[in-house]
Amino acid sequence: MERSKVTLFSTLLLFGLISFGLNHFHVADGSGHAVTLIQKYSYYYDILLTIGINIILAVGLNLVNGYTGQFSLGHAGFMAAGAYASSWLTLSYGYSLGGGAFATTFAFVIALLLGGVAAAFSGLLVGVPSLRLKGDYLAIVTLGFNEIIKGVIQNCDALGAQRGLGGMAPSTNFFWTYAFGAVTVYVVLSLVNSTYGRGFLAVRDDEIAAEAMGINTTKYKVLAFVLGAFFAGIAGGIYAHFKQFIHPEGFNFMKSVDVVVMVILGGMGSTAGVCVAAALLTILPEVLRYVSHIEALPEWLRHIAENRMILYSLLLIVLMLTRPQGLFGAVNLKRKKA
């Protein structure tokens, strides 16, 4: 455990140094003016932060779907709860502590944590009555809850309703995105590898046997749901303060499916695999977009790449047929057998 804490601290320090370099190292742009690395490579920086946000979402959902063996389709709803709660807090009270860099950063972090708490509370509301359900029934309930959250936001004028909510300060940067990503990975791995956390794996492997051994399976499922929702809320707050504008349609059913695909592709119960899958599935659509604009390529190939979402789906189908256990699923199985 001490080694993992040292690794976490070293990782946070590394992310801090990278973030400092991105913000303060200057290079020349096309006109010869000195700009920061972020300003020159803003497109790649956008992708980089999106990868970090997706890692937080996927690792949090992996605790529910992978380690506990449940099936949730409402993760985007928890992301929306965190995004709107943190945005409302910073818009309403963001400058009450002052306008300095330290004050605004402190307000941003507090808003993120409170947004995570709001999402966790939402997870508790849906978790307690519904997690006695299993399989398809649980998936349907969580999907319905996702639509309920979206419907509430669409009819709440204080949250922008159908107009969307904008004007948030651009507080999200590389450090905060990947620092929360590292903390999410650390918490999930520390939890499932602890003596207490073995209850999650017991629920996944054989829920009836776990109940026979005296394990409160409902408690473990609700806890996994609440923690997963908390991290989704954090990711939502980071996303909102990065894009500076959010709309209810950005947290629809397809967003939940995207995160579920990351978990399945990476390997259910494999944190490393989920992180890799989150990065791959964020980059792949952009690579296909780039290929579709390369004029040197044959026209038929560019037309295929233009329909990148179809090709993207076909690639996922092929991968699921060839490696149904996910990218890193077999690694976990070998480790368990050893």
Side-chain angles (χ1 to χ4, degrees), residues 1-302:
M1 186 63 69
E2 292 299 325
R3 183 179 179 182
S4 61
K5 290 180 180 178
V6 172
T7 302
L8 175 63
F9 178 78
S10 303
T11 303
L12 294 178
L13 181 61
L14 175 62
F15 289 155
L17 293 174
I18 294 175
S19 182
F20 180 84
L22 290 173
N23 282 282
H24 294 87
F25 188 78
H26 288 77
V27 293
D29 62 3
S31 304
H33 298 97
V35 295
T36 63
L37 288 172
I38 293 176
Q39 291 172 328
K40 183 171 183 178
Y41 302 105
S42 57
Y43 171 70
Y44 300 102
Y45 185 68
D46 185 291
I47 296 174
L48 189 63
L49 293 196
T50 303
I51 290 173
I53 293 169
N54 285 337
I55 286 175
I56 299 174
L57 286 169
V59 171
L61 183 61
N62 192 38
L63 179 62
V64 179
N65 287 20
Y67 287 112
T68 315
Q70 306 307 301
F71 193 72
S72 171
L73 278 175
H75 217 53
F78 303 129
M79 183 185 181
Y84 275 90
S86 61
S87 298
W88 180 81
L89 286 170
T90 53
L91 289 172
S92 302
Y93 306 104
Y95 292 99
S96 59
L97 299 177
F102 177 80
T104 53
T105 301
F106 181 77
F108 167 65
V109 174
I110 295 299
L112 283 185
L113 294 175
L114 292 177
V117 171
F121 181 71
S122 301
L124 182 64
L125 288 179
V126 69
V128 171
S130 67
L131 282 180
R132 296 185 182 275
L133 303 173
K134 300 177 183 178
D136 298 341
Y137 298 103
L138 177 60
I140 292 170
V141 169
T142 54
L143 173 60
F145 183 73
N146 191 155
E147 295 302 314
I148 289 173
I149 290 182
K150 195 176 78 168
V152 169
I153 293 172
Q154 288 174 331
N155 290 279
C156 182
D157 193 62
L159 298 178
Q162 281 285 18
R163 303 185 304 275
L165 187 64
M168 291 77 77
S171 302
T172 296
N173 57 24
F174 177 88
F175 174 74
W176 290 117
T177 302
Y178 281 88
F180 276 107
V183 170
T184 303
V185 171
Y186 171 79
V187 169
V188 170
L189 286 179
S190 298
L191 181 62
V192 298
N193 290 324
S194 66
T195 303
Y196 178 83
R198 292 297 174 183
F200 294 107
L201 304 180
V203 172
R204 179 192 66 185
D205 293 338
D206 195 326
E207 187 172 339
I208 296 176
E211 288 179 346
M213 292 297 293
I215 295 175
N216 188 339
T217 58
T218 301
K219 181 184 74 172
Y220 276 96
K221 289 191 288 186
V222 170
L223 178 60
F225 219 74
V226 169
L227 284 175
F230 174 80
F231 292 127
I234 295 289
I238 293 173
Y239 172 82
H241 290 84
F242 172 48
K243 296 299 184 180
Q244 298 177 261
F245 179 82
I246 50 178
H247 191 275
E249 287 302 322
F251 307 98
N252 57 16
F253 168 67
M254 291 309 300
K255 181 62 180 178
S256 292
V257 171
D258 287 343
V259 185
V260 170
V261 170
M262 292 173 191
V263 174
I264 296 175
L265 181 63
M268 302 277 277
S270 171
T271 300
V274 165
C275 292
V276 172
L280 288 177
L281 294 183
T282 305
I283 295 172
L284 184 58
E286 302 303 322
V287 172
L288 295 176
R289 188 200 308 272
Y290 173 75
V291 170
S292 67
H293 290 87
I294 299 178
E295 296 185 0
L297 293 176
E299 186 176 355
W300 64 268
L301 184 59
R302 286 190 285 116

